[in-house]
Each structure stands twice: as structure tokens, then as C-alpha cells.
Amino acid sequence: MKVTGVTCHILQSKVEKPFVSARGWVYATRASCIVEITTDEGITGWGECYGPAAVNRTLIETQYAPRVIGRDPFDVEVVWEDLYNRIKDYGAQGFSITALSGIDIALWDIMGRAMAKPIHKLIGGAYRRSVQAYATGLYFIDMDRLVEEAVEEALAYKEQGFRAIKMKIGLGDPKLDFRRVAAVREAIGPDVALAVDANHCFSVPQAIRLGRMLEPLDLLWFEEPISPEDHAGYAEVTRTLDMAIAGGENDFTRWGFRDIIATKAMDIVQPDVCAAGGISELRKIATLASAFGVECVPHAWGSAIGLAATVQFLAALPDQPPAFRPLPPMLEFEQTPNPLGDLLATVPIVQRQGIVTVPDGPGLGIEIDREILNRFKVA
Ligand SMILES: [Mg+2]
């Protein structure tokens, strides 16, 4: 089998209620670079790249596509190494890897379709047929009702059956952050797990101070307390606080994660399959993490394609650590309305009572709705 074409679709949709995280960016639209790879056997595979779509498309069209066309999709890691080594002098991290991730995912989708097997059966097999999802939400929307809106949203997730929720923090006032998290914890009770995500808005002392305030609230993890470049700072926060420290959605490849994992600078690493290098590279990052006793719980924030790739990867990820009653790695399931997530697959991946069934169709296990693709395509 040979690749005959690599096409990038830039999809964009409006967000009904714009929302804000600790980085202060208002999310008024959602956009994504979707990668479609065709073959001479009529099999088409789909991938997705994290981050600004136009840059990903330019990288793929100018740097990668000419080197992928004519290749056998089953040489997926050979292709990965070739593309990475072609680009690493100019970009061993960031866009060059997010663009590469989209190609890698599409090649795995093709292999799965060619074998009539879901991807997780090609990367080790099904450790689980369903994954526990945690609801990502509780952004900052109404600045006059920050505590009330968080409580209402969290209760709605609990009502839907979610057993775990992740909320945003980083309001520039540790007392307000604490009040908001404490109100949510009190509202949802002790049996729903609660994580907080600061989107790297704190300094080391600020993170430690707020972390100590939050620790009595029994949090699942404290995500991205500080800036992703500061690995030594992560190690300091991780050693100082008792609660688990998570991060890694802005890190890339096995080399980018190597020192974080080997120094245990984080308790939990969160590589994104659409950013850190695709399914091929996430397997390597997860293996590194396992070797050093670090948990791997992937980050996910994209369209139905990124979500499906994450679910396939999670199905084949061993329990960390194995146990009589293990705590399996959870699926990040964002809850802010996103048509690219809800509509792009003909049969969307949904949660019921906080549980997502792993699709067992070939490849990613979803089919792309061309009409929706064309409706949201802007370039
Ligand atoms: Mg995050």
C-alpha cells in the first residue's frame, strides 16, 4: 500500500459562550487542522494537529507531505523518524511535532482500517473496553458569578454521572481560587474526584502557597501549576506538595519528556496525542513514564478525531500501577460545547454515567461526516 495524497482541512466553529482560562485568552472560536491521508488501496485515514491550524497546515504541506506521499503506511515509525530528523534542526518541539502528530495518527488509522482492527489492537491490545472520563470545564465565563457558576456547572456534571471533574483555577487571588474550589468540593461531596488546572499561571512560591491551601480539599491533581519550560521548578513544587502534580500538555516527544520523567519533576505526565508526536510517540513517552514510576494520563482538547485517538491509546495503556483494584488512567473529556467534537463523527463518542465505551470499529473507530467537514471547513 502507498500513500497517494495528504490533505489538510482547517475547520473552525464559533463558541456560543466564550470562555477564559488562567492564560486570559478568550476562546470565541474553536479551530483545528484535520489531516486526511489517501492511499492507492482506497483506504483513507484521519489525523488531527493541536494548536493554530494554519501553521500546522503550512508545515505539513511544505515540509512533510512530499516525503509521505509514496510511502507505505505500515512503515509508520520509519516515516516518523524520517520526518522528525528532517525538521529537528529547526524545530524539535512545538509546531513541527504537532504537525507530525496529525500525520502519525492518520497512518495508524489507515493501518487499522487495512487490518479491520481498532488501533488499540495494533498497539498492545485492550487493557479495558471502556474508560472512565473526567469532565473538563469550569472555565471563567461570568466574572460576576465565578463561584456560583462553577458550583452549578460541577453539579450538572455530577448529575450526568461523571465521577471526576477538572476545574480551572488562576484568578489572580489565591483566596478567590480557594473559595471557588472549596465551594465546588462542598457541592459535589467527597465521592466525586476533583482536579484543578492552572494553565501554568503561577510562580513556584505562588503555586506552593495555593497548593497548601488546596490540599485539605482532597484533590486528584494540581495541573500545570507553573510554566512548562521550568522543569526544576516542577520538581520543587512536586517535592514540596503532598498532592499529585501534573503537566506535559505543552511538552513534545520522548526527548522533551525524558528529563521530566527521569527526575520525577511531575507525578503525572499528560502528553497530548495530537501534539506530542502522535500515537507512535505517546507509546514511547508512556513506556518511559512506566519505567520511572510516573503516571501517564493523556491530555485531550480537540475534535472527534483527537478524542478517538486518545481513547484508542488509553484502551492499550496498562494500569499504573497494576493492582487488585487499580486506578486506571482516565480520559479527559472536555465539556465546553464544541461542534467539531460533537458532530464530526457520524457516531460520536459519548459518555454514559461518566464512562466511555472504546469504539471497536477499524482504525480510530469513528467515521468522518463529510458534510460536517465541509460545513466547518474555512480553508
Ligand atoms: Mg490543562
Side-chain angles (χ1 to χ4, degrees), residues 111-122:
M111 287 190 287
R113 289 169 192 276
M115 303 298 289
K117 295 275 185 199
I119 290 169
H120 68 267
K121 290 286 188 186
L122 308 185

Side-chain angles (χ1 to χ4, degrees), residues 23 134 166 168 197-199 223-224 249 270 299 332:
R23 283 176 295 187
Y134 71 84
K166 184 169 84 187
K168 297 292 172 179
D197 183 358
N199 292 99
E223 179 170 323
E224 286 206 298
E249 66 184 75
Q270 301 171 303
H299 171 262
E332 172 159 26

Side-chain angles (χ1 to χ4, degrees), residues 39 43 92 104 159 177 198 231 254 268 370:
T39 63
I43 296 173
D104 183 82
E159 185 77 9
D177 272 326
H231 295 174
R254 77 200 82 155
I268 301 166
R370 288 263 179 200

